[in-house]
Amino acid sequence: MAKRMLSEFESYDLLKQYGVPVPDHIIVKTAAEAARAAEKIGFPVVMKIHSPQIVHKSDAGGVMVSIGSAQAAQEAFDKIVGNAKAYNPEAEIRGVIVEQQAAPGLELIIGGKTDPAFGKVLTFGMGGTLVELMRDVTLRILPVTEEAIREMIREIHGYPMIKGYRGAKPRDEETLVQVMWAVNRFFAENTNVVEFDINPVRLYESGACIVDARIFIDDEAVEKTVKERPFVPIEYFTPRSIAVIGASSEPKKMGYAVMHNLLHFPGQLYPVNNKRPEVQGLKAYPSILDIPNPVDMAVITVPAKHVPSVIEECGQKGVSMAVIITAGFKEMGEGGKALEDRVLEIAKGYGTRIVGPNCLGLIVPPKGIDTTYVHESPKPGNIAFISQSGAIINTVVDWSIAQDIGFSAVISVGNQADLNFIDYLRFVERDPKTKGIILYIEEVQDGKTFMKVVSEVAKTKPVVAIKSGSSQKGQQAASSHTGSLSGSYDVYMEAFRESGVIPVHTLTGTFQVAEMLALPKGYPRGKRAVVITNAGGFAVLSSDYAERYGIDLITLPPKVLKELNDLLPEFWNKNNPIDLLGDANEKRFDQVFSVLAKHQDCWDIAFVVGFPNLVIGSDQLANQIIRFSERTENMIVGTLLGGGSMERGRKILKENGIPIFDELDFTFRVMGRILWQRFR
Ligand code: ADP
Ligand code: MG
């Protein structure tokens, strides 16, 4: 067993070297020694069991506090040892720790764990015995800066307790920063420290002291680092000739559907089938080697056991990319893994790159490429969708057709034996057609490299992600008890936040966010928002949603108020949301929009909310919104609520590249996700 726990006193000694304040302590083996140690340290003392098998000492009756005399220390020794033996007769009792009793203080927790994808993570939160109950924790992925530590302290819900709540004196935040910094250095500099928790850290009006520490060591631990991956040439994704190996004429077969979807491919298409001279109207070849012309891409649907020999032939033929749709590899366990490794080995020898296996492959609608068996190929557009689930691709593509959403690329990553999320991100980053990127992620293989690459990509194109596994159940297996009050999902969320990725919880939501950011104005410049509506009810709901999704509605500056007063009926609400009232006509909208455009430095986002009424038609309102958007650099977001009568307005806005919603909650929720990413 490589992983072991250090005892409390070993932990203290280690942390002390980094300048973490720890109580004075002495290990004793007898009651008489306990009495002498207690006198030496000074009363009162705390005494605790020292046993490698007892992780939670209080649970074992192994902690006694406020011991005030030598006599009491002797008795405590026997009591603690007795309790520990009763709790776990197998436990090896190495002695008892006698330690200085720290004054009561605000109890906090500092923890660390090693995430399987992203490596070391520092956690911080409200500590003490209620820590599991409160779950008020935050985290950062290492390396961590001092500024990040300051942010962590300020972002827990319990922060007011540190800052001084309701007349209480503030706690020593600066010392806390220094302690966390020291702990962070200790964690970062010791590769073999894989997990720890310091609970509690007691924070005082002046100073701090830790009164417990558990550190787990794994001498075989290896540090996670960023790995360089050379770019896959973009032409690999846009072949001029494609061979379908396993192409079939029988409609129920995978090789049929794949071939069928490729019939529209404008380049050369070659079915390979060793039993038929012709497949779906095209001349078929017994093997890829029989094709007289060069082949750029091979799509493989033959049974798994034949894939190694097929890949061998692809290599000989000089195929640059092989899309292996066939399943039955790593996902099937040991045997499948061995087969996958063999395929990879052969491909490497020829420099052939592999998509999959166990995937749907690629769809590049602008190039007429569709290697999948989706029911109907999606339309060309500007969204790239990269997914770890084939079923989700089928669903999204089917849905996109009715929604009139188009794609620059759809990629099913499969087992990611060779090409993985990172390579696909690099492709869509450089693909000129792609304006927005959506990822469906179950897990990433190499979190550090993923973060580096995705943060570069997100600088030029919006990246939106939906990550499965947020439920407690979904995570149970992965999380261990100590130091990891945050599960792996939280680590992903933090990785996304740090690298510019926008996490969204629903598939439709991912498209709403990506499509909005793919529009010409892209991201909002800031988070200060105004709402303009002609409906009192929606003004109130807008405030509610704005608050719920973390969007700041600004207080209108006096100069703006004054100008609006001159325009609007006397009894207007003089507030943000700006309620133009139900009788607002085109002219009133136009005038108010002019005032806001003139004062565009006061705000960053304007939400315009319209509803069906007789004074202003949805097309008239839409045209006013377009004019407004033309008059400002700021972001204008339309929400036209209602049924068919508002459809015209929505269509006009969509055609003019203005974000448009038909459900008010979505408007604010989508913006809330974007602002969380940019301005949290
Ligand atoms: P456990 O293994 O159960 O977490 P701890 O060492 O954290 O054991 O002790 C349990 C509790 O006893 C602590 O949460 C703290 O409230 C109190 N305690 C422990 N050590 C000290 C100390 N040196 N000074 C003051 N209180 C202490
Ligand atoms: Mg403890």
Side-chain angles (χ1 to χ4, degrees), residues 8 48 55-58 63 128-129 197-200 211-214:
E8 179 169 336
K48 308 183 196 181
V55 179
H56 298 285
K57 300 176 292 287
S58 306
V63 179
T129 42
D197 78 63
I198 304 173
N199 182 24
V211 296
D212 187 17
R214 266 185 276 277

Side-chain angles (χ1 to χ4, degrees), residues 211-231:
V211 296
D212 187 17
R214 266 185 276 277
I215 297 174
F216 291 87
I217 297 283
D218 179 351
D219 291 317
E220 287 159 23
V222 268
E223 210 160 324
K224 295 224 179 333
T225 51
V226 175
K227 298 189 188 68
E228 287 306 323
R229 277 183 84 87
F231 287 11

